[in-house]
Amino acid sequence: MATKYLQHFPKPLLDDLVAGRWLPIIGAGFSKNAILPDGKQMPLWADLGSDLAGELGDYSSTGALDAISAFEHEFGRPKLIERLSEALLITESRPGNAHQAFCSVPFDLVCTTNFDFLLERQYESIPRNCTPLVDEEQLSINVRDSGVSLLKLHGDLRHPARLIATETDYDRFLDKYPMLATYLANLLITRTAVLVGYSLDDPDFRQVWQIVGERLGRSRRMAYALAVGAKPTDVSRFDRRGVKIINLPLGKSKYGDVLADAFKELRDYWQAAVIPSSQVKEEQSLRELSLPVDALTRLCFVAVPLSLHSFYRERVFPLVRQHGFVPVTADDVVTPGDTILPKVDALIGRSLLMIVDASSEFTLAEFRFGIRRLPAGRILLIGQQGTRLPSDLASYLYIQRPDVNLEEPDAFLESVHEWLRAAAEDLRPTLLAEPSRLLAAGENRAAVISAISLLESVLRRRVDMPAVSSPRAVTLRDLLHHAESQGLLRDTPIREVQDWLMIRNEVVHGLKNITKAKAERIVSGVQVIAQANF
């Protein structure tokens, strides 16, 4: 994966990203990346002060906060809200490419001191559930499993009484909103703050940051600020306040483009690193996830409500395996810090198919991750009989599931079976060629893993097995013995195939390196069996 900006991020900070310990704090500078009508610009904090000071006659302000405070004193709070809404182009501004890239990183919590709604609009367009947290009583709401919490530290223009914009607002912040200040302080204790488009000039944040520093001293977590082409004096200002600058080179690119590319690289890094850093509970899933990120796996991501897990594992998972795929759920993988959204996004990104029982808010959220990653024909959408899907999902293949506690699900299972059969037929030529492609690319280890997965897929489809209590109990070694008796291994001795399995297992668990010659023998041997049974 070619990167341009990732090298500027310290390894401990990237580790925190993978572990879900980032606390992004978005400032006014980030809104400069918005898409605006021709000839208009998004003002920074200082620009707002200058604009309002100009409407105060011969008044001489000492800074933005002083000018905004004087404007409210002279014309009242309602007029201040109106002028801020006009100046910030609330109705006209749209998220830019930097907003799009930032919101593609699956953060569960984002802070902002901005009054605008650019982040909300971008999350809505993805779409991804975004819950703005403005009032203290909202802090107990937990929506992070299915979306992102947007903590608006200064309020926004839809909540005039909550807005932190004047000297009085700032002076009263800690006393008037003690729970919010405590909540922010706790976040700064447990997470790594990463400031974007932020100048450290906001008094409320500086107050809380100072309190955390006084109470924790050297135990306070390091904070970082993302900057583009920052001058040495700016770097020193941040460093004096305990914030390290990540200074991205500007070069010939625009400021917004640099940020967009940086967040895209961070997203790709997170997705590539979160699974290798995780514990995978199921051996079959582990084998598929040990393949390179650009390799085809046989994973079928299954998103179901907790109440239906047993039914799907007992009745649907065997169908998935029967057609040569490997079912996997979010619960099968334990990530660092159990970062749910990045884990789901990464698993879907590695999967070939997706089955979603869209009868809960969280599985619907998982589905919306899926539609960004997989073609529509690779997703099977399921809902309980009598329920209606959201109108924007009407174009996806949808089958209804009966109440499995009250009715026999035979017709439903047959529909799932037919969808899996069609998917297997459609994908079989590509999967048949994958081991050879990996071998040609020099991926000897991956070629062996992919080849044995291909072998198992072919045998599960072709071997005539006697009735068993659970299809899951049928191992690949069981399949081999029946395949030998049915002449499906052609002229390949079963002992040789068993050696291939042992080599694959050692490769998956990192116990063995494999030469190109040995990988070629395994791949070609599997291809002979697969071609004969195609």
Side-chain angles (χ1 to χ4, degrees):
M1 178 177 63
T3 61
K4 184 176 181 181
Y5 300 110
L6 207 60
Q7 60 184 312
H8 296 279
F9 291 82
K11 182 61 166 57
L13 183 58
L14 294 175
D15 291 342
D16 281 345
L17 176 71
V18 175
R21 288 196 293 265
W22 270 34
L23 178 66
I25 302 178
I26 306 301
F30 198 62
S31 295
K32 295 283 285 185
N33 302 296
I35 297 173
L36 304 171
D38 290 342
K40 295 190 176 182
Q41 285 189 329
M42 185 69 75
L44 295 174
W45 182 246
D47 301 325
L48 284 175
S50 297
D51 291 345
L52 295 180
E55 299 182 27
L56 293 171
D58 60 357
Y59 177 80
S60 178
S61 73
T62 59
L65 184 60
D66 180 62
I68 293 170
S69 303
F71 187 94
E72 184 195 46
H73 178 76
E74 186 71 22
F75 300 111
R77 188 81 164 188
K79 181 57 68 175
L80 173 65
I81 300 299
E82 291 173 9
R83 287 294 292 113
L84 289 176
S85 298
E86 294 170 5
L88 293 173
L89 306 167
I90 293 300
T91 60
E92 302 165 279
S93 59
R94 292 293 178 268
N97 60 347
H99 292 91
Q100 295 165 17
F102 173 82
C103 292
S104 73
V105 184
F107 296 115
D108 64 343
L109 176 65
V110 175
C111 296
T112 181
T113 53
N114 294 346
F115 304 149
D116 58 46
F117 309 101
L118 290 167
L119 290 172
E120 292 98 317
R121 286 173 180 162
Q122 179 56 37
Y123 281 121
E124 181 181 354
S125 71
I126 291 177
R128 183 179 170 197
N129 181 39
C130 174
T131 302
L133 305 179
V134 179
D135 295 317
E136 288 190 322
E137 56 264 29
Q138 293 178 284
L139 297 179
S140 60
I141 298 174
N142 187 0
V143 298
R144 296 176 202 164
D145 282 358
S146 59
V148 58
S149 297
L150 182 61
L151 180 60
K152 307 201 80 171
L153 296 172
H154 288 182
D156 60 36
L157 292 167
R158 291 176 182 153
H159 302 81
R162 170 65 180 81
L163 203 70
I164 307 296
T166 68
E167 291 172 338
T168 302
D169 298 329
Y170 281 108
D171 291 342
R172 294 178 179 175
F173 176 75
L174 289 177
D175 292 331
K176 191 173 182 181
Y177 303 106
M179 288 179 59
L180 180 61
T182 300
Y183 183 71
L184 176 59
N186 181 65
L187 291 174
L188 292 171
I189 291 169
T190 58
R191 297 194 180 206
T192 301
V194 180
L195 287 70
V196 185
Y198 206 72
S199 65
L200 281 183
D201 287 334
D202 293 293
D204 56 352
F205 178 81
R206 289 172 59 187
Q207 281 180 314
V208 175
W209 186 239
Q210 184 64 28
I211 290 171
V212 174
E214 289 174 354
R215 294 179 181 177
L216 293 183
R218 295 175 62 186
S219 296
R220 182 177 68 181
R221 297 180 70 87
M222 182 65 69
Y224 296 85
L226 192 57
V228 179
K231 299 176 181 178
T233 52
D234 297 325
V235 175
S236 297
R237 278 187 70 235
F238 276 86
D239 193 50
R240 286 198 309 271
R241 296 170 182 176
V243 179
K244 295 293 184 183
I245 283 279
I246 300 169
N247 197 8
L248 304 179
L250 181 59
K252 296 181 180 179
S253 302
K254 295 181 180 178
Y255 172 77
D257 293 337
V258 172
L259 287 180
D261 289 342
F263 281 117
K264 289 174 185 175
E265 290 183 16
L266 289 168
R267 177 200 61 203
D268 293 344
Y269 179 87
W270 197 346
Q271 291 169 348
V274 69
I275 298 301
S277 302
S278 304
Q279 177 185 352
V280 183
K281 299 177 184 178
E282 298 286 338
E283 182 67 20
Q284 279 193 314
S285 300
L286 174 62
R287 294 167 189 162
E288 297 299 315
L289 290 169
S290 65
L291 290 166
V293 292
D294 60 345
L296 287 177
T297 73
R298 295 178 178 273
L299 291 173
C300 175
F301 185 81
V302 184
V304 296
L306 184 61
S307 60
L308 292 169
H309 269 210
S310 296
F311 168 75
Y312 273 86
R313 287 188 181 277
E314 292 174 8
R315 305 298 298 274
V316 176
F317 281 26
L319 296 177
V320 175
R321 295 188 184 94
Q322 178 184 334
H323 290 284
F325 302 109
V326 177
V328 64
T329 71
D331 289 341
D332 294 333
V333 178
V334 180
T335 54
D338 202 21
T339 50
I340 295 177
L341 292 176
K343 171 175 63 177
V344 168
D345 194 25
L347 284 173
I348 294 173
R350 299 297 306 276
S351 297
L352 204 55
L353 301 174
M354 185 175 182
I355 296 175
V356 186
D357 192 307
S359 52
S360 77
E361 180 182 339
F362 185 62
T363 55
L364 267 176
E366 291 178 294
F367 171 76
R368 296 190 189 282
F369 271 105
I371 61 179
R372 303 203 308 269
R373 293 290 211 145
L374 295 170
R378 303 272 184 88
I379 302 175
L380 177 62
L381 194 57
I382 297 168
Q384 186 165 336
Q385 285 178 350
T387 60
R388 297 182 62 181
L389 287 175
S391 58
D392 62 324
L393 307 183
S395 60
Y396 289 88
L397 179 61
Y398 174 64
I399 63 175
Q400 292 194 330
R401 167 187 52 75
D403 186 335
V404 296
N405 296 313
L406 302 175
E407 301 178 50
E408 286 298 322
D410 293 350
F412 162 71
L413 293 173
E414 182 60 28
S415 298
V416 175
H417 169 78
E418 283 301 312
W419 181 78
L420 288 165
R421 183 197 59 77
E425 288 295 328
D426 180 56
L427 292 166
R428 190 166 289 123
T430 304
L431 290 170
L432 184 65
E434 182 66 2
S436 297
R437 185 192 71 81
L438 290 168
L439 191 63
E443 296 279 2
N444 300 336
R445 175 180 172 277
V448 169
I449 298 171
S450 180
I452 301 303
S453 293
L454 171 64
L455 176 65
E456 181 169 2
S457 172
V458 169
L459 295 184
R460 287 195 181 278
R461 184 172 58 90
R462 289 299 309 275
V463 169
D464 184 15
M465 291 291 296
V468 293
S469 59
S470 171
R472 184 172 183 172
V474 179
T475 67
L476 180 50
R477 292 188 180 276
D478 295 329
L479 287 170
L480 284 177
H481 287 291
H482 289 282
E484 182 187 37
S485 65
Q486 295 169 28
L488 301 179
L489 298 184
R490 310 298 290 172
D491 298 326
T492 308
I494 187 172
R495 181 168 294 180
E496 183 177 354
V497 182
Q498 290 172 335
D499 287 342
W500 300 345
L501 265 61
M502 184 175 65
I503 292 170
R504 187 278 308 271
N505 292 340
E506 291 173 340
V507 165
V508 167
H509 294 282
L511 302 175
K512 189 180 184 102
N513 292 322
I514 188 163
T515 64
K516 181 178 181 180
K518 184 169 289 187
E520 286 176 341
R521 285 198 298 272
I522 294 174
V523 169
S524 62
V526 169
Q527 291 285 1
V528 168
I529 298 173
Q531 292 284 2
N533 292 283
F534 193 78

